[in-house]
Structure formats: structure tokens, C-alpha cells
Amino acid sequence: MSQRTPLDDSWLRRFAPAAQQSTVRLVCFPHAGGSAGWFRPLTQALTPRVEGLAVQYPGRQDRRRERLVDSVQELADAAFAALRRELEPPFAFFGHSLGAVVAFEVARRFEQLTPAGPVRLFASARRAPSVVRDETVHLRDDAGLIHEMIRLGGTEEGVLDDSEIRQMVLPVVRADYRAIETYRAAPGARITCPVSVLVGDRDPVTPVADAAAWGAHTTKGTDLHVFAGGHFYLEPKITEVAAAIDAAL
């Protein structure tokens, strides 16, 4: 796998050269407001046999001039169109929060439209698609949106005090929240690969029971990993999460 040509698509980022012993690719999908770079520590902590890649959604960082996508289905369609040109089996998906749902929908498209889908989905910090709540964070004013970002722990207080930073960040976050809050899975939507569920034990928006409900969306079963922490439990638990990924793959 390390002999493959460099990635030439704007959707994927690689943060370390593929090792000679790489045998499987792990594609990581970011959370609302997140970018590919958030996964740099995780991809670099993976065992050499797993090549870590991260998806860069449109409208942020080096893709900031592109139109924001505020629909999970549209985002999954576009990601699938790009990834199917890059991925050869075996590969797996890891999605955090919004990214878990996007990864699930991309996996469904791979299974429906190509000979092979991912060997495993890692669904992190997100309730199962069948657990639906009416949420309207994307309709709040800027102060309300910032309050939610700080509440979840992904943004330090004071970072968004700068008006230029707010102008860059908040439209991205709002579009992503609109995407995840208006998402509804198709009735009976399932994939045929195992799902590893990862969640923090103090996540304010993803109770462990809601995360465990991912079992309804796969024909191959789930395993549940509960870590100490909140919605962004992953940041201080990189080593443990990388170990869980390695064991599952």
C-alpha cells in the first residue's frame, strides 16, 4: 500500500508517509466545525500497519473558498464520489460526532454502488441514527452558537473574541449543525460491516445508551468502548483510542 501514488484529491489529507507494512487505510471524518487536521495526532498514533487519512470538508481552511454544504446526504454524496476514486479494499472509516453519521452514509453508498465497502465503521461521540431528537442549535444567534461550542468542550473561551475569527468559523459551524440537526436516516438503514462505538462517559449530548443503539444499524454487530471524558474525550485519550482501533482492525 505504501507504493501508491500521492493523494491528488482535495478531500483527503495524509499527515505521515504510508509505512511499508501498511495493510489497511483508516479514513477519518471530522465533527461539526472540525477539519482534517484535528485527526493529525490520532493518525500519527496508529500502528504502522494502519495508514491514517482524514477528510477535509468543503468551506474550511484550504477549502474555504468552496461552498459550505449543510446537508449530510449531500456531503456524503460528494465525499463518496471523491473517495471511491482513491480507496481500494481494505479500508475502514472513523467518524467523530457529525463525522460518524457522514461516515455511515458514505459506507452505505460504498456498499450499494461498489463491490466492497469498509471493513469496519468506528462511530465516535454520536448517538445512533435511529435515536432522533429535535435540535435547533443552528438557528441560534452567534452568542448561542458560541455557547454550545464552549459547552461541548471543543472551543476554549476567548478564542472567538476576535471578530475576524468569528466570521471565518461561525458560518462553518452553523452549516455543519444544520446538516446534523436536519439529518434523518432512511428507515431501516444498515451497513454490513461491524461498528465499533466509542463514547465519553460524560458526553453531554451523547449518552452511552444512545451511542450503544448503533447496533440497530449493522448486520455484523457492535462493540462498545467507553472512555473517561466528554464530547471530545478523544483528545486526551489518543493512545487508548489508537489501541482500540488497532485491536478492532
Side-chain angles (χ1 to χ4, degrees):
M1 184 173 294
S2 59
Q3 300 302 312
R4 287 175 62 99
T5 57
L7 301 176
D8 59 4
D9 192 277
S10 63
W11 281 82
L12 284 176
R13 302 289 180 273
R14 179 193 283 127
F15 300 110
Q20 290 291 332
Q21 57 267 53
S22 294
T23 59
V24 60
R25 279 180 158 174
L26 178 71
V27 181
C28 301
F29 294 76
H31 55 279
S35 62
W38 191 73
F39 285 110
R40 181 188 295 271
L42 177 62
T43 59
Q44 294 179 339
L46 296 170
T47 178
R49 70 185 184 87
V50 181
E51 180 189 3
L53 303 171
V55 169
Q56 186 78 300
Y57 301 143
R60 66 210 69 205
Q61 294 189 336
D62 55 342
R63 300 189 69 185
R64 63 185 178 278
R65 298 186 185 281
E66 299 180 44
R67 180 181 65 87
L68 289 166
V69 178
D70 61 2
S71 158
V72 166
Q73 301 293 1
E74 183 181 348
L75 192 58
D77 284 341
F80 167 69
L83 296 183
R84 73 183 302 181
R85 299 193 296 266
E86 294 285 350
L87 298 181
E88 297 175 359
F91 58 90
F93 291 160
F94 183 106
H96 187 81
S97 196
L98 162 68
V101 172
V102 177
F104 172 69
E105 288 293 341
V106 175
R108 292 184 64 219
R109 286 155 174 76
F110 266 96
E111 291 187 351
Q112 294 166 358
L113 301 172
T114 72
V119 297
R120 183 173 289 269
L121 168 66
F122 296 87
S124 171
R126 181 65 190 176
R127 63 182 183 267
S130 53
V131 181
V132 178
R133 296 182 196 150
D134 290 327
E135 296 173 316
T136 57
V137 174
H138 71 280
L139 297 177
R140 297 181 186 177
D141 61 14
D142 288 353
L145 195 59
I146 291 171
H147 177 269
E148 182 68 9
M149 295 167 65
I150 294 173
R151 183 175 79 93
L152 294 186
T155 305
E156 295 182 7
E157 292 191 52
V159 170
L160 295 174
D161 288 347
D162 186 283
S163 61
E164 292 186 4
I165 295 178
R166 288 199 304 273
Q167 290 174 8
M168 288 189 296
V169 172
L170 292 186
V172 174
V173 175
R174 192 178 301 281
D176 287 354
Y177 266 95
R178 183 180 296 112
I180 193 59
E181 291 180 341
T182 59
Y183 168 74
R184 298 293 183 269
R190 294 193 295 177
I191 53 178
T192 62
C193 69
V195 177
S196 290
V197 181
L198 304 91
V199 65
D201 61 0
R202 300 186 304 278
D203 190 324
V205 293
T206 308
V208 173
D210 288 355
W214 274 95
H217 298 279
T218 172
T219 63
K220 293 294 179 62
T222 61
D223 51 88
L224 177 65
H225 305 264
V226 181
F227 298 88
H231 193 64
F232 290 96
Y233 73 89
L234 192 150
E235 292 176 312
K237 299 292 183 181
I238 292 292
T239 301
E240 293 91 332
V241 173
I245 291 171
D246 183 45
L249 292 178

